């Protein structure tokens, strides 16, 4: 419904009255965090916002000031922030959109408000650029967490109101805003424990991104509601009776499923609406006698319910003894309902329910006040650590962040019993790095529940872990495959970098000393001579191999004295056979054969070429095609289709040939390969090739996408046997799916 833009004095007056009534409604709904004396400050903020936005209208046509009022209301009524939060929400678009500056705000409202507004202004207008900038901006936004988490909370409230009023936007803007919301804001709300806001953001986003699906599910919920309510009642009645008999004050209701969560389940489990909707969940929220009794009461209610319905073994989730990282507390269990279906039951006190719905953030103690080492603080600390690392690439960071948001968590205990939260499927090595990077770097194994396990052991929630370290331990690249957390990956990468740097420096020193002894300047001519001899591609590789002792410099003098030749000596050695002269085989002689024995050598004036269509190498069965002018011979594989064609039409031009002295010669061959990408796969491939004495790499090309790699290798080989051997060894590499020889090497 589009509001009418006032034209007359009277209409304007009416609109003004409407604005003030909305503000008074906000004042009436401020949370208990607002002290009576603070009202003046909030009114001052409202007046400034109202004056500065005067004359501006939103896309919907309504006065702009309605937006800050609505955001302020969300901030206090739905998130539970106090005076500063409300003031900042009212002022959140002032610096961005009007002539007032941050300094004006500082003068009128002080440093704290100014710094929050500054944070909000800095992060506004983000997401307008490409994805990498988005990530960078998102990172900046999270940075502000370290200053004041209220910046994020107000930003979320701002986004929520924009989503609630998204109808007024043109469709392309709707898609963009709804996309950002599901990509960034909903996970953020989830991580901060703002369950109600997260759910609403998800549903609104779905509504604009997939309107049809949204409507379909909404209709189905409506159609099924009555039947569902009956089932809930049937299940709840015995519980209600029993709890009342025990003098417990409580509310019980069927936990409503959000449209988005139904849709997600339909997608991920590939099941129809009915099957998702059928799964019942009941929530019991009770009035606790006092804070200390909450836990006991939860278990008492659990006990009363399981007197009626049988609980499913292993389905107890005790989020009371160890709350989730976002502050969530509750006791969950699953019991067998009266109609033979499992029903999830959630038991919480009012306080826990408040945290679950509105978020732990509302309980967050601000900087300067007493710092509670709650789970939220720890989470913010973790995020900050990631952010403060200048090396982490912004996009990667975003991925890690999202991964950490969505992966469910496991809880691990230190030997002293401290609780550490890690993403699911974390290993003992992750745990080690979580404790300290030095412990990670020196880890050699671990004891999980007093049993010795390796570093790649996957941890389960509740494990108690002790890391065993050794000062002799040396970090390995493969470790990267054994860790899941960003912190561990970063720790390993940094340690490897440091070690490589050390090795290079050490190697450089050794080589320079040695050259000095020999009275040789380390010139580029010297390196040109040394590098190929030691089979390395760069100076750094040479230094590194010297530093780690892989390359000993015992033969340095000999190498430097040697006349350098290209490493790959290439010349053809083919013998054109006289029919039947082969000693090994009594192969039937081709019908049209020359009777002369012809041996081709490099110095002969008849030359030959290797056919590009089939690229034979020593060991392949080959034949020669003498061209009619008799000036050269083309060597084809016997099975080459071109050769077969020639044989049938110009049989008299075919010359039988055989390879000779194979070890002396190297030939170009091409392989194509593909497989599953993983860290270090390229290194493993090159390692296998360099292990193969008779093979040298000319060119390696590997491309990865979506976790798959494809590559090609140009190699110098001596024979088919060597090549086959290599193919066999390469296909043994973990991740490699197929290795094939490419016959046509022209491209
Ligand atoms: Mn806004």
């Amino acid at each position: 419904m589009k509001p009418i833009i006032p034209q007359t004095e009277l209409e304007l007056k009416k609109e003004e009255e409407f604005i003030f009534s909305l503000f008074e409604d906000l004042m009436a709904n401020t949370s208990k965090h607002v002290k009576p004396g603070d009202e003046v400050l909030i009114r001052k903020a409202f007046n400034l916002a109202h004056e500065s936005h005067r004359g501006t209208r939103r896309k919907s046509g309504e006065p702009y000031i309605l937006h800050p009022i609505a955001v302020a209301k969300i901030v206090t009524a739905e998130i539970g922030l106090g005076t500063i939060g409300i003031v900042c929400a009212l002022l959140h678009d002032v610096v961005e959109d009007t002539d007032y500056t941050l300094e004006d705000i500082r003068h009128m409202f002080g440093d704290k408000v100014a710094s929050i507004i500054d944070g909000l202004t800095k992060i506004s207008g983000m997401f307008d650029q490409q994805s990498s900038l988005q990530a960078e901006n998102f990172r900046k936004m999270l940075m502000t967490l370290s200053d004041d988490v209220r910046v994020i909370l107000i930003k979320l409230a701002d986004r929520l109101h924009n989503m609630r009023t998204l109808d007024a936007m043109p469709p392309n803007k709707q898609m963009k805003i709804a996309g950002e919301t599901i990509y960034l804001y909903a996970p953020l709300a989830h991580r901060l424990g703002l369950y109600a806001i997260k759910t609403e953001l998800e549903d609104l986003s779905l509504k604009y991104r997939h309107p049809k699906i949204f409507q379909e599910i909404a209709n189905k919920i409506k159609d099924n509601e009555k039947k569902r309510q009956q089932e809930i009642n049937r299940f709840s009645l015995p519980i209600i009776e029993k709890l009342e008999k025990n003098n417990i004050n409580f509310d019980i209701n069927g936990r409503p499923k959000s449209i988005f969560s139904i849709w997600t389940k339909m997608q991920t489990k590939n099941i129809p609406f009915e099957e998702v909707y059928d799964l019942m969940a009941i929530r019991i929220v009770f009035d606790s006698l006092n804070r200390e009794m909450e836990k006991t009461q939860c278990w008492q209610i659990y006990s009363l319910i399981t007197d009626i319905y049988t609980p499913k073994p292993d389905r107890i989730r005790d989020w009371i003894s160890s709350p989730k990282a976002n502050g969530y507390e509750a006791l969950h269990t699953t019991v067998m309902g009266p109609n033979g279906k499992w029903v999830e039951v959630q038991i919480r006190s009012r306080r826990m329910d408040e945290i679950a719905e509105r978020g732990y953030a509302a309980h967050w103690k601000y900087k300067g006040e007493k710092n509670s080492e709650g789970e939220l603080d720890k989470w913010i600390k973790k995020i900050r650590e990631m952010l403060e690392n200048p090396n982490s690439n912004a996009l990667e960071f975003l991925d890690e962040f999202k991964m950490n948001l969505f992966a469910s968590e496991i809880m691990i205990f230190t030997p002293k019993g401290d609780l550490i939260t890690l993403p699911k499927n974390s290993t003992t090595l992750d745990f080690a790095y979580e404790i300290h990077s030095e412990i990670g770097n020196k880890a050699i194994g671990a004891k999980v529940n007093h049993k010795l396990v390796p570093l790649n052991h996957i941890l389960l929630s509740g494990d108690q872990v002790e890391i065993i370290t050794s000062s002799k331990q040396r970090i390995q690249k493969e470790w990267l495959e054994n860790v899941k957390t960003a912190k561990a990956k970063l720790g390993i990468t940094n340690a490897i970098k440091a070690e490589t740097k050390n090795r290079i420096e050490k190697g450089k020193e050794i080589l320079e000393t040695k050259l000095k002894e020999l009275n040789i300047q380390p010139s580029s001519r010297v390196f040109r001579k040394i590098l190929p001899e030691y089979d390395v591609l760069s100076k750094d590789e040479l230094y590194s191999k010297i530093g780690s002792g892989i390359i000993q410099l015992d033969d340095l003098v000999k190498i430097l004295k040697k006349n350098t030749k290209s490493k790959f000596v290439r010349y053809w050695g083919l013998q054109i056979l006289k029919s039947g002269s082969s000693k090994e085989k009594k192969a039937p002689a081709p019908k049209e054969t020359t009777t002369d024995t012809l041996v081709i050598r490099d110095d002969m004036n008849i030359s030959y070429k290797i056919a590009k269509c089939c690229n034979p190498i020593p060991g392949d069965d080959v034949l020669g095609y003498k061209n009619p002018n008799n000036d050269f011979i083309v060597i084809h594989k016997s099975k080459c289709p071109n050769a077969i064609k020639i044989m049938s039409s110009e049989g008299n031009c075919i010359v039988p040939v055989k390879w000779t002295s194979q070890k002396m010669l190297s030939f170009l061959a091409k392989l194509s390969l593909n497989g599953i990408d993983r860290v270090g796969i390229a290194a493993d491939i090159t390692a296998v090739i360099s292990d193969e004495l008779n093979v040298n790499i000319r060119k390696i090309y590997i491309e990865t996408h979506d976790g798959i790699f494809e590559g090609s290798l140009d190699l110098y080989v001596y024979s088919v046997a060597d090549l086959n051997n290599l193919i066999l060894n390469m296909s043994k590499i973990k991740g490699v799916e197929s290795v094939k020889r490419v016959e046509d090497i022209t491209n």
Side-chain angles (χ1 to χ4, degrees):
M1 211 174 39
K2 237 182 166 153
I4 304 149
I5 296 172
Q7 306 292 336
T8 65
E9 284 281 311
L10 184 73
E11 279 168 355
L12 267 173
K13 210 181 139 216
K14 270 204 172 148
E15 191 180 74
E16 194 72 2
E17 275 167 16
F18 177 61
I19 291 168
F20 274 88
S21 77
L22 282 178
F23 176 65
E24 290 311 326
D25 173 60
L26 164 69
M27 291 308 285
N29 280 292
T30 54
S31 67
K32 47 187 178 287
H33 304 276
V34 176
K35 288 173 248 119
D38 289 351
E39 228 192 281
V40 186
L41 197 66
I42 298 175
R43 283 187 190 279
K44 191 172 151 193
F46 167 68
N47 287 333
L48 175 66
H50 188 22
E51 283 317 309
S52 59
H53 289 303
R54 190 180 284 284
T56 325
R57 291 184 180 274
R58 303 192 82 206
K59 274 261 154 42
S60 61
E62 58 187 19
Y64 195 86
I65 185 68
L66 297 198
H67 169 63
I69 294 175
V71 174
K73 194 166 169 188
I74 294 169
V75 153
T76 183
E78 295 180 48
I79 302 178
L81 290 191
T83 307
I84 298 278
I86 299 170
V87 166
C88 292
L90 285 168
L91 297 174
H92 82 270
D93 281 331
V94 166
V95 173
E96 179 84 11
D97 295 344
T98 77
D99 293 337
Y100 284 92
T101 65
L102 199 61
E103 282 317 300
D104 298 330
I105 301 285
R106 197 185 307 280
H107 276 301
M108 283 183 269
F109 297 93
D111 285 342
K112 185 80 252 180
V113 170
S115 86
I116 294 175
I117 298 291
D118 188 29
L120 284 163
T121 309
K122 268 187 204 137
I123 60 180
S124 68
M126 57 195 263
F127 309 128
D128 286 341
Q129 297 92 359
Q130 300 87 346
S131 67
S132 65
L133 279 175
Q134 261 191 35
E136 191 51 52
N137 279 327
F138 187 60
R139 179 181 147 126
K140 271 190 205 139
M141 171 164 112
L142 290 166
M143 277 282 218
T144 58
L145 274 174
S146 55
D147 301 330
D148 197 315
V149 76
R150 280 175 291 198
V151 173
I152 304 295
L153 296 174
I154 294 167
K155 192 73 200 164
L156 277 171
D158 184 27
R159 173 54 54 130
L160 180 58
H161 185 243
N162 286 336
M163 284 301 289
R164 283 176 182 170
T165 52
L166 202 57
D167 258 341
M169 286 289 178
N172 63 327
K173 272 259 169 121
Q174 285 178 347
M175 289 303 275
K176 181 176 170 288
I177 293 171
E180 287 165 11
T181 299
I182 201 64
Y183 188 62
L184 293 175
Y185 288 94
L188 193 57
H190 172 71
R191 204 54 176 85
L192 289 166
L194 302 160
Y195 181 78
I197 289 179
K198 169 213 161 210
T199 307
E200 194 178 342
L201 287 175
E202 283 173 346
D203 274 2
L204 285 169
S205 174
L206 184 66
K207 183 179 156 191
Y208 288 98
R209 287 186 309 136
H210 304 290
K212 239 183 164 169
I213 294 169
F214 182 85
Q215 206 46 54
E216 262 173 43
I217 297 176
N219 291 342
K220 280 188 178 166
I221 290 177
K222 223 168 130 195
D223 296 345
N224 284 277
E225 187 49 33
K226 207 172 155 192
K227 189 178 141 234
R228 198 174 101 98
Q229 199 53 51
Q230 283 169 349
E231 276 186 38
I232 290 170
N233 290 346
R234 187 170 164 216
F235 178 83
S236 306
L237 260 149
I239 297 178
I240 294 171
E241 262 173 42
K242 191 130 190 176
L243 294 194
E244 276 178 351
K245 225 184 258 169
N246 281 273
N247 294 322
I248 295 166
N249 248 330
F250 65 95
D251 288 329
I252 184 166
N253 49 51
R255 188 169 77 88
K257 281 200 182 71
S258 77
I259 296 176
F260 179 81
S261 75
I262 291 174
W263 181 62
T264 312
K265 272 234 171 77
M266 285 166 68
Q267 300 252 294
T268 51
K269 303 215 164 145
N270 205 9
I271 49 176
F273 170 86
E274 288 69 24
E275 262 178 68
V276 180
Y277 198 66
D278 243 20
L279 300 165
M280 249 211 299
I282 297 287
R283 179 174 300 153
I284 293 166
V285 179
F286 64 93
D287 294 324
S288 72
L289 305 167
N290 57 50
R291 180 76 205 270
E292 281 71 44
M293 287 297 290
E294 278 183 347
K295 188 173 172 183
T296 317
Q297 277 184 293
C298 279
W299 286 105
Q300 187 202 357
I301 293 169
Y302 169 81
S303 159
L304 291 171
I305 292 170
T306 50
D307 281 349
I308 308 167
Y309 301 119
T310 316
K312 190 177 188 177
D314 311 329
R315 282 301 300 180
I316 282 217
R317 294 286 177 273
D318 177 6
W319 303 114
I320 299 173
S321 310
S322 29
K324 281 192 195 178
N326 63 15
Y328 181 82
E329 289 174 67
L331 185 62
H332 293 190
T333 179
T334 301
V335 301
M336 179 56 76
N339 50 7
K341 277 190 226 160
W342 293 112
V343 178
E344 189 186 78
V345 181
Q346 304 181 347
I347 305 165
R348 323 169 169 163
S349 71
R350 291 236 180 264
R351 181 190 63 83
M352 295 173 188
D353 190 52
E354 171 107 335
I355 291 176
E357 293 299 308
R358 306 210 311 185
Y360 197 72
H363 302 248
W364 161 252
K365 302 248 192 276
Y366 300 110
K367 234 178 166 178
E369 289 178 37
K370 213 174 90 195
N371 212 4
S372 71
E373 261 295 289
E375 287 298 316
L376 185 71
D377 306 54
K378 280 187 207 155
W379 176 65
I380 287 170
K381 215 171 112 192
K382 245 186 245 175
I383 296 287
R384 208 179 306 156
E385 274 170 17
M386 280 200 257
L387 289 166
E388 278 164 3
N389 192 305
N391 296 332
S392 71
N393 164 295
L395 261 185
E396 230 168 71
F397 162 78
L398 186 61
D399 280 349
E400 297 284 355
F401 177 77
K402 283 175 70 67
M403 184 191 85
N404 284 337
L405 283 179
F406 287 118
S408 39
E409 294 156 337
I410 52 169
M411 278 171 291
I412 307 298
F413 296 95
T414 67
K416 280 183 186 162
D418 292 334
L419 194 63
I420 303 270
T421 312
L422 288 171
K424 202 176 155 186
N425 292 326
S426 290
T427 60
T428 40
L429 194 55
D430 280 308
F431 176 83
Y433 276 99
E434 193 62 32
I435 306 277
H436 198 282
S437 60
E438 268 313 298
I439 296 192
N441 292 343
K442 296 288 170 218
I444 52 169
K447 277 183 181 172
V448 169
N449 308 325
H450 307 293
K451 245 179 79 188
L452 198 65
V453 298
L455 291 172
N456 62 0
H457 177 84
I458 290 174
L459 296 172
L460 298 173
S461 220
D463 280 346
Q464 186 164 42
V465 184
E466 184 186 343
I467 299 294
I468 304 163
T469 60
S470 158
S471 57
K472 295 239 164 62
Q473 178 64 301
R474 290 192 46 201
I475 209 124
Q476 289 149 39
K477 235 196 216 149
E478 290 70 39
W479 283 15
L480 283 168
E481 290 164 39
N482 296 335
V483 295
K484 195 167 165 63
T485 58
K487 197 170 171 181
K489 280 181 191 156
L490 188 70
I492 294 168
T493 321
N494 284 347
I496 290 174
K497 269 190 213 151
E499 216 178 278
T500 314
K501 214 176 135 206
N502 266 340
R503 257 205 322 269
I504 288 177
E505 272 162 20
K506 194 173 149 199
K508 192 173 176 200
E509 219 180 287
I510 294 175
L511 181 66
E512 277 171 3
T513 320
K514 193 101 188 195
L515 286 173
K516 214 170 184 179
E517 279 170 21
L518 299 169
N519 233 338
I520 296 171
Q521 286 291 321
S523 68
S524 59
R525 202 183 53 83
V526 169
F527 280 106
R528 241 183 328 211
K529 230 171 191 178
I530 305 177
L531 293 183
E533 284 298 330
Y534 287 117
D535 208 5
V536 291
L537 295 170
S538 68
K539 272 197 222 173
D540 276 355
E541 191 186 343
L542 177 70
Y543 292 145
S544 165
K545 282 191 171 159
I546 296 171
S548 61
I550 296 172
I551 293 179
Q552 311 269 344
L553 294 171
D554 305 340
D555 47 355
L556 186 64
V557 183
K558 215 169 86 195
I559 287 170
L560 288 169
K561 276 186 186 155
K562 207 158 120 185
N563 253 338
T564 35
K565 251 194 224 156
S566 163
K567 187 168 166 94
F568 306 120
V569 185
R570 293 174 59 201
Y571 53 90
W572 310 123
L574 280 162
Q575 193 177 15
I576 297 186
L577 298 171
K578 188 179 169 181
S579 160
S581 73
S582 164
K583 279 173 194 164
E584 302 94 55
K585 267 193 206 162
K586 283 185 216 124
K591 271 192 181 144
E592 318 281 339
T593 55
T594 56
T595 45
D596 311 295
T597 299
L598 184 56
V599 180
I600 296 176
R601 286 201 307 266
D602 271 9
D603 52 1
M604 289 187 64
N605 52 13
I606 183 153
S607 57
Y608 43 89
K609 289 176 177 168
I610 299 293
K612 290 228 170 83
C613 51
C614 54
N615 187 44
I617 60 173
D620 284 332
D621 280 333
V622 286
L623 51 81
Y625 166 70
K626 198 163 69 182
N627 94 330
N629 297 335
N630 234 344
D631 45 12
F632 63 87
I633 293 172
V634 182
I635 312 298
H636 286 270
K637 276 187 194 161
S638 310
K639 62 177 183 190
C640 170
N642 285 340
I644 293 165
K645 208 169 108 197
I646 295 164
M647 249 194 303
S648 57
S649 58
E650 302 171 75
N652 53 339
C653 295
I654 297 295
V655 189
V657 288
K658 195 177 183 295
W659 301 103
T660 62
S661 55
Q662 294 173 9
K663 283 293 168 196
M664 293 301 295
L665 317 164
S666 64
F667 289 80
L668 191 60
K670 194 183 186 93
L671 295 182
S672 82
L673 65 165
N674 64 51
I676 312 294
D677 187 30
R678 62 172 170 81
V679 177
I681 188 117
D684 286 358
I685 291 169
T686 38
V688 165
I689 297 167
S690 53
D691 278 353
E692 207 68 42
L693 288 174
N694 295 330
V695 176
N696 284 302
I697 307 180
R698 176 182 178 241
K699 197 168 94 190
I700 178 164
Y701 173 75
I702 288 180
E703 189 183 64
T704 65
H705 56 88
D706 307 326
I708 303 288
F709 77 87
E710 276 173 83
S712 65
L713 297 163
D714 288 0
L715 306 157
Y716 286 114
V717 296
Y718 293 107
S719 71
V720 167
D722 291 343
L723 192 64
N724 286 343
N725 205 22
L726 178 71
I727 291 173
L728 186 72
N729 287 336
M730 292 226 300
S731 48
K732 282 183 199 156
I733 297 171
K734 195 180 132 206
V736 172
E737 293 277 302
S738 98
V739 187
K740 271 192 295 227
R741 180 170 166 201
V742 181
E743 309 279 328
D744 183 357
I745 60 159
T746 46
N747 45 22

